[in-house]
Amino acid sequence: MIRLPLALLLLMLGAAASGSAQTRHDSSAPIDFSAAHQELDDRAKRVILSGDVVVRQSEMTLSAARMTIVYDGDLFGGGSPQASRVDASGGVTLIRPDQTARSQYAIYDLNRRIVTLIGNVTLRQGSGNVINGGRLTFNLDSNRATIDGSSVGGGAPGAADAAPSGRVTGRFTAPKRDDK
């Protein structure tokens, strides 16, 4: 397993060259969502969203075919329910400023402020920087990322650059040199 501080990972991915820097995510910001269908199960304390689901919080967007939002509190008893976890599956895409990550599944633990992408993960930064693995974990408070080669269900069809071998792979762009 490779553990890299997100700042180092971003530096390696060319964030310094693009002039942008990751800022700490506002995990206390409201969560907005849209979906083709919503099912509420108040006894289980969850909302099931399906059909091109998009969830936004601050500058982070999570999209997938299906999501389950688990909440604490009483929705109908006059309480103020709060989301505690978001599970996403089916063509998951996580977008943060100057980053896009794709996977088969994602878990956003709002209490711990951790987003975990699982299964055939690809992280792209800028135009040519990419890292592939089986699992990517973002700590939104510390901006620390961990990526490893563990896999769920092997590589997806057509994902030739993914890491089905249990290894982390990647490509970083190098600065252009003026040869005189």
Side-chain angles (χ1 to χ4, degrees), residues 9-33:
L9 181 63
L10 293 175
L11 180 62
M12 291 171 20
L13 288 175
S18 69
S20 68
Q22 287 293 325
T23 59
R24 185 172 170 177
H25 176 72
D26 182 5
S27 57
S28 65
I31 298 171
D32 297 314
F33 70 87

Side-chain angles (χ1 to χ4, degrees), residues 2-171:
I2 297 175
R3 292 183 187 267
L4 297 173
L6 187 55
L8 176 60
L9 181 63
L10 293 175
L11 180 62
M12 291 171 20
L13 288 175
S18 69
S20 68
Q22 287 293 325
T23 59
R24 185 172 170 177
H25 176 72
D26 182 5
S27 57
S28 65
I31 298 171
D32 297 314
F33 70 87
S34 65
H37 182 76
Q38 172 186 322
E39 176 185 330
L40 173 65
D41 183 351
D42 194 42
R43 286 184 190 205
K45 306 283 187 210
R46 67 181 180 181
V47 176
I48 301 168
L49 305 169
S50 59
D52 296 321
V53 183
V54 178
V55 170
R56 287 186 180 88
Q57 184 182 41
S58 188
E59 293 183 334
M60 184 173 71
T61 302
L62 181 65
S63 61
R66 178 182 169 97
M67 289 190 209
T68 301
I69 300 175
V70 178
Y71 60 90
D72 299 322
D74 188 11
L75 189 61
F76 296 111
S80 178
Q82 295 185 353
S84 61
R85 178 178 166 133
V86 177
D87 295 336
S89 63
V92 174
T93 302
L94 176 71
I95 299 173
R96 296 183 61 201
D98 199 34
Q99 288 181 321
T100 301
R102 299 187 191 285
S103 67
Q104 295 171 338
Y105 309 99
I107 301 163
Y108 177 15
D109 183 333
L110 281 88
N111 295 324
R112 295 177 52 217
R113 294 171 174 83
I114 293 176
V115 179
T116 304
L117 286 84
I118 305 167
N120 207 27
V121 177
T122 300
L123 172 64
R124 295 189 185 277
Q125 171 89 26
S127 62
N129 302 305
V130 64
I131 297 176
N132 303 292
R135 180 177 55 204
L136 173 65
T137 303
F138 284 112
N139 182 313
L140 298 172
D141 282 342
S142 67
N143 275 338
R144 183 179 173 104
T146 304
I147 189 163
D148 64 42
S150 64
S151 181
V152 173
D161 60 345
S165 64
R167 297 184 57 83
V168 176
T169 63
R171 172 170 287 177

